[in-house]
Amino acid sequence: MTVATISVPSQTLEADLPALLREPAKTLRDGGLVAFPTETVYGLGADALNSSAVARIYLAKNRPADNPLIIHLPDPAWMDRVAKQVTPTARRLAAQYWPGPLTIVLAAAASVPSLTLGGLSTVAIRVPAHPLARALSRAADTPVAGPSANLSGRPSPTAAGHVLADLDGRIDWILDGGPCALGIESTVVDARGTRPVVLREGVITREMLGIAKADAAPVGTAASPGTRHRHYQPDARVVIAPVDEGAEVARQLSVRRAVGFVGPISDLRGSAVHVLAQPLGALELGSVLYRALRQADSLGLDTVVVEAVPADGVGRAVMDRLHRAAGSLHS
Ligand code: TXA
Ligand code: MG
């Protein structure tokens, strides 16, 4: 069966969302799967407190069962529904960054099924900035477990079409809220102690969290279980070019192969290079990276050359994803 889609334009009033979401919210409530937009990437939602619904997520994505899911809430006040103990660190981070692209790890409440937690005793929680994501959870009146809505190993989906390409026939609904603003997944932070520990890099940086540079682990040493698995890889080979050298690397490789390029505006006249995106800086590269990798595959390209950005601030997160896409990092 093909998946049902509802398009929700960004100018839709929040007050109108419950009526629009009645059917998908009921499906979620009844144990079905509903893909939804967030400000980072699209999520694949199921009732986080229903073990058989959550089992369907792992099946649809081919996801390893030891990779826990993030739980999405409509309101920080719901944290007590899924966390055993909300620490002062967590309260502070939630007040500062929610709704937004920050996932907070705490001790799990007994109500959360082990499958949602990938067998851990901790739970990862976030309140997304996208109104549709929050409205879905509220309309279904349950916390929503939601990994990125891609097949495991593929680049995360940043538009409804990417979800359709990977999961058509495997899920019940797609809520189409247009392209995702940020394009890379949330920062994951362990907030059980007095100081936050970053488990996965994201747009909310170590600097923003007040973590001194000296404390910063090198890229790739994060401890989030999902960061162990192969990730974000298109069929095309991904080549990371040094800063300022992307266009030249692409031009040279394109003599023998079908090559795509992602990097700052460059003169590629007279070459056969397909320019996939021309981001300026790390934040913009993050927002177009997964889309460009998927586009390279749709065009049947052999190689994608992506020009590196300095690995500080948001650049750390973007370079982490890029190294994984290139297969040069799977710690
Ligand atoms: O931006 C995002 O975080 C998106 C949107 C949909 O919210 N979600 C997302 O989910 O990226 P996923 O499943 O693709 O990645 C979740 C990451 C994985 O690396 C997973 O191992 C980690 O969060 N994680 C989940 N629960 C955890 C826990 N209890 N402790 C440590 N890491 C956890
Ligand atoms: Mg993912």
Side-chain angles (χ1 to χ4, degrees):
M1 204 191 81
T2 54
V3 60
T5 301
I6 298 183
S7 293
V8 186
S10 57
Q11 65 271 26
T12 308
L13 296 176
E14 283 204 53
D16 292 336
L17 292 178
L20 277 169
L21 297 182
R22 193 165 293 133
E23 280 296 311
K26 182 173 183 312
T27 301
L28 197 90
R29 195 70 221 166
D30 294 343
L33 299 184
V34 180
F36 58 95
T38 80
E39 71 280 24
T40 58
V41 302
Y42 274 73
L44 178 55
D47 179 350
L49 306 182
N50 174 344
S51 215
S52 51
V54 168
R56 291 191 57 202
I57 289 185
Y58 285 92
L59 205 63
K61 281 186 56 102
N62 288 330
R63 183 178 177 102
D66 65 350
N67 191 1
L69 308 178
I70 291 173
I71 298 184
H72 300 74
L73 305 178
D75 191 302
W78 283 36
M79 267 199 279
D80 295 320
R81 293 202 192 186
V82 293
K84 184 155 82 183
Q85 197 198 356
V86 180
T87 61
T89 307
R91 285 198 198 288
R92 177 172 63 78
L93 293 174
Q96 197 169 1
Y97 292 111
W98 282 354
L102 184 73
T103 295
I104 296 177
V105 171
L106 289 168
S111 55
V112 186
S114 174
L115 198 57
T116 306
L117 307 175
L120 300 179
S121 58
T122 51
V123 62
I125 314 166
R126 86 178 185 100
V127 176
H130 202 298
L132 256 181
R134 295 196 308 268
L136 176 67
S137 174
R138 197 182 289 285
D141 191 25
T142 192
V144 174
S148 50
N150 52 294
L151 287 172
S152 264
R154 298 267 300 148
S156 296
T158 58
H162 303 161
V163 180
L164 192 67
D166 278 17
L167 298 176
D168 194 12
R170 295 170 174 241
I171 66 176
D172 301 299
W173 287 92
I174 299 177
L175 309 182
D176 183 351
C180 301
L182 298 176
I184 63 168
E185 305 82 354
S186 61
T187 307
V188 179
V189 164
D190 186 339
R192 287 175 295 165
T194 48
R195 300 214 299 174
V197 176
V198 174
L199 304 179
R200 180 176 70 180
E201 310 281 341
V203 166
I204 294 180
T205 62
R206 289 166 185 273
E207 291 84 348
M208 291 163 72
L209 295 168
I211 299 172
K213 266 234 168 75
D215 295 353
V219 167
T221 57
S224 212
T227 59
R228 281 198 304 269
H229 301 284
R230 293 180 78 80
H231 257 92
Y232 318 122
Q233 295 188 346
D235 296 330
R237 188 168 70 108
V238 176
V239 171
I240 304 173
V243 178
D244 291 336
E245 291 175 29
E248 193 44 42
V249 171
R251 186 188 284 277
Q252 281 170 21
L253 290 174
S254 71
V255 175
R256 290 156 168 271
R257 302 188 193 89
V259 170
F261 174 62
V262 180
I265 295 171
S266 319
D267 183 7
L268 282 160
R269 272 176 299 185
S271 79
V273 175
H274 296 257
V275 176
L276 298 171
Q278 299 186 303
L280 287 173
L283 192 62
E284 240 182 272
L285 175 56
S287 74
V288 299
L289 180 64
Y290 294 148
R291 176 170 57 75
L293 296 180
R294 283 178 177 266
Q295 203 184 343
D297 283 351
S298 325
L299 293 169
L301 303 179
D302 308 310
T303 304
V304 192
V305 174
V306 184
E307 183 167 315
V309 291
D312 49 31
V314 182
R316 273 183 88 79
V318 177
M319 288 309 293
D320 169 79
R321 302 312 192 277
L322 190 50
H323 280 293
R324 288 172 202 284
S328 49
L329 193 67
H330 26 100
S331 58

